[in-house]
Amino acid sequence: MINDHHQLRWLADGVNRMALGCVINSMWDCWAKIEKKPLWKLLGGYSPKVKVYAGNIDLNFPIEQILDNATKNMEDGFKAIKMRLGRDTLKEDLSRVEAMRNHIGDDIELMADANEAWRVDQALKASNELANFNLTWLEEPITPDDFRGYAYLKNNGATPIAAGENLHTLKEFQQLFYYDG
């Protein structure tokens, strides 16, 4: 039985849009192969302003494993690392972020992905507490279509917010960017 807004949204919109995305991506790939160019060149190159980060995001890893993975990430040349949040308590998440920040130092960018783990009030508290660790961003702390909640967090939270990974239409992005409450 579907009793979760996120599950219903996924079934109603996500599957069809993901299928369409696969078709569109295949078409881009075919075009690149016909032109005998990598897609990034076909689309105009790259920007040195767009940074690559390591996705050290498994919520279930013990902290020691996350720190070992971060060491490997840095040895591989990464200058930015993302970790996952959403443990049972905010205190536990903060402890993990503090350990990671202490481990990687201030020269490595640190991002955190909460994967929609919190209500708006919890996300606001987390945003303010996480400001102590100089995060580049806090990603998807609440459900992706809570545009009012994202506007509230943007205006009241202390950590920059990243969102949009689970939005599928231009209208949804417009709502996220321009929601005025």
Side-chain angles (χ1 to χ4, degrees), residues 94 97 101 106 126-135 158-159:
L94 293 171
V97 171
R101 176 50 77 202
D106 293 328
S127 172
N128 292 331
E129 295 283 337
L130 290 165
N132 297 320
F133 304 107
N134 191 30
L135 293 184
T159 302

Side-chain angles (χ1 to χ4, degrees), residues 17-174:
R17 291 182 182 151
M18 290 279 197
L20 180 59
C22 289
V23 171
I24 291 169
N25 285 338
S26 296
M27 292 171 68
W28 281 105
D29 190 49
C30 287
W31 183 30
K33 287 180 180 178
I34 290 168
E35 295 292 325
K36 295 186 171 134
K37 292 182 180 178
L39 186 57
W40 66 270
K41 273 191 178 178
L42 194 65
L43 295 174
Y46 79 101
S47 170
K49 293 179 183 177
V50 177
K51 297 178 182 176
V52 176
Y53 62 84
N56 189 2
I57 62 171
D58 196 308
L59 184 62
N60 298 313
F61 286 173
I63 191 63
E64 297 78 20
Q65 187 173 356
I66 292 172
L67 299 180
D68 287 346
N69 288 347
T71 297
K72 291 173 188 156
N73 297 146
M74 292 184 296
E75 289 169 353
D76 288 341
F78 286 96
K79 302 291 183 202
I81 297 173
K82 182 170 81 171
M83 66 183 295
R84 174 91 191 276
L85 301 181
R87 300 287 288 198
D88 290 338
T89 67
L90 179 58
K91 182 178 179 181
E92 200 175 351
D93 281 330
L94 293 171
S95 173
R96 292 163 69 87
V97 171
E98 180 178 25
M100 178 69 89
R101 176 50 77 202
N102 289 337
H103 182 73
I104 66 175
D106 293 328
D107 293 336
I108 302 294
E109 287 188 51
L110 180 60
M111 294 82 74
D113 188 341
N115 280 84
E116 309 171 31
W118 300 315
R119 298 181 317 261
V120 174
D121 62 314
Q122 293 170 314
L124 180 63
K125 183 174 182 181
S127 172
N128 292 331
E129 295 283 337
L130 290 165
N132 297 320
F133 304 107
N134 191 30
L135 293 184
T136 301
W137 72 65
L138 172 59
E139 185 174 341
E140 287 198 331
I142 59 177
T143 59
D145 57 349
D146 184 354
F147 306 117
R148 175 179 285 155
Y150 276 105
Y152 182 79
L153 292 173
K154 176 184 167 270
N155 293 327
N156 296 288
T159 302
I161 300 293
E165 176 182 11
N166 287 298
L167 301 180
H168 303 107
T169 67
L170 180 58
K171 181 179 180 181
E172 288 175 321
F173 279 99
Q174 288 170 332

